[in-house]
Amino acid sequence: MSQVLGIDVGGTKIAVGVSGADGPEVTARERLDTGPDALARALAAARRLDRHPSAVGFSTTGVIRDGVVRLSPNVPGWDGLELPRLLAEEFGDTPVAIDNDVNAAAAAELRWGALRGVSTGLYLNLGTGLAAALIVGGAVVPGAHGAAGEIGYLQVEPGEPAFAEGHVPLEERVSGSGLARRASALLGRPVTTAHLLTHYSRAADPGDPVSQLVAEALRLLAVSVANLCVMVDPERLVVGGGMMGAADVIMPGLVAEVRRAVPFAPEVRQARFSDDAPLLGALALAHAAT
């Protein structure tokens, strides 16, 4: 049976997997820390799993613009990498489909998950970073520069340091990495986002500074998502990403704000796929390319 190959290079991990039948089942996989020489190590893992796939899907941080990776400062050597050319050299005539990790995760939800059958929708990824995917006509919309859905760059306050100054305003406040960084500075010691959200859900004192930090971030996230829904008018909003391990903390306020602020509020669902969503998205891209 012919197999497709999926490769996901993220900010902290590389995941490579193969799949036979058109479904979310991964028949073999490898997982590595990202680190230096990420592409070479990812391709070496791919060769170990399948040297002759029928198609390849590649999920990456950042976006592809003018044949190179942009907006990906967190992977050493990744920003400016000529990824399409290098993959063409590696796989020859084998079809290769490339997209950013959030669009890829949305593709998996469209093909097999919570966005299946949806014509107009939004996929929101809450993880180390913050981004969304816009679905129109049952397909992910890339935008004019491949950067549709890069909502981390939304400004929170007019005139604040933004993209031109090397900042990602909304992401710095509400993403997993942003929350952990701000709380660590507040507490004077390293703290994870998972710990933060657990602390918030259990804190008895509403004046606790960590609880205040998390509550502010969740309110800002909910308002931002409601504004996106007003703009797009989706039939369904699907929320995924690593932070959804604390869905019981995140979802109630988000759903309430969407229902309060959006004239025609969409159905809100948790994503079917979580930590392995970008890899499954890469496999969905590969299946679509066969």
Side-chain angles (χ1 to χ4, degrees):
M1 177 188 295
S2 64
Q3 296 187 125
V4 298
L5 173 70
I7 303 171
D8 168 49
V9 176
T12 59
K13 67 176 175 64
I14 298 167
V16 183
V18 293
S19 174
D22 186 354
E25 294 78 23
V26 182
T27 56
R29 71 174 76 203
E30 285 197 31
R31 178 169 174 158
L32 315 164
D33 292 334
T34 299
D37 301 319
L39 182 61
R41 294 166 58 243
L43 294 179
R47 292 185 207 108
R48 289 192 291 271
L49 290 181
D50 191 343
R51 286 188 170 272
H52 303 288
S54 59
V56 178
F58 199 104
S59 165
T60 176
T61 63
V63 300
I64 305 297
R65 173 70 176 162
D66 298 327
V68 300
V69 180
R70 302 293 189 197
L71 303 182
S72 184
N74 296 324
V75 178
W78 207 249
D79 207 61
L81 187 73
E82 295 181 69
L83 185 61
R85 177 183 64 81
L86 295 170
L87 293 179
E89 290 176 358
E90 173 72 19
F91 294 107
D93 294 334
T94 301
V96 177
I98 311 171
D99 211 334
N100 73 56
D101 49 359
V102 175
N103 285 351
E109 295 292 338
L110 275 166
R111 198 171 188 93
W112 304 305
L115 284 167
R116 188 174 178 88
V118 169
S119 177
T120 303
L122 277 173
Y123 174 81
L124 176 67
N125 186 81
L126 304 176
T128 303
L130 173 71
L134 170 63
I135 292 90
V136 176
V140 175
V141 176
H145 306 96
E150 292 291 336
I151 62 171
Y153 291 93
L154 291 174
Q155 294 184 71
V156 177
E157 300 176 7
E160 69 179 330
F163 170 72
E165 293 81 29
H167 285 270
V168 193
L170 186 60
E171 181 173 284
E172 290 170 5
R173 288 171 169 86
V174 306
S175 70
S177 60
L179 266 176
R181 186 163 46 249
R182 294 171 68 205
S184 297
L186 182 67
L187 296 171
R189 58 179 172 82
V191 63
T192 66
T193 302
H195 172 80
L196 280 178
L197 295 174
T198 300
H199 176 96
Y200 174 75
S201 67
R202 294 176 180 172
D205 180 8
D208 173 72
V210 174
S211 293
Q212 289 180 337
L213 176 70
V214 175
E216 174 195 359
L218 293 178
R219 284 194 297 268
L220 179 56
L221 173 66
V223 168
S224 301
V225 172
N227 287 341
L228 289 174
C229 290
V230 171
M231 173 69 182
V232 174
D233 186 27
E235 60 195 87
R236 186 176 299 161
L237 165 67
V238 170
V239 188
M243 287 175 64
M244 289 302 284
D248 59 329
V249 176
I250 294 169
M251 292 293 278
L254 191 154
V255 171
E257 185 64 17
V258 166
R259 290 176 177 169
R260 187 189 76 84
V262 182
F264 300 97
E267 177 188 13
V268 183
R269 286 192 192 178
Q270 189 170 344
R272 177 181 177 186
F273 308 116
S274 54
D275 289 343
D276 58 352
L279 175 60
L280 293 175
L283 291 168
L285 294 175
H287 279 297
T290 56

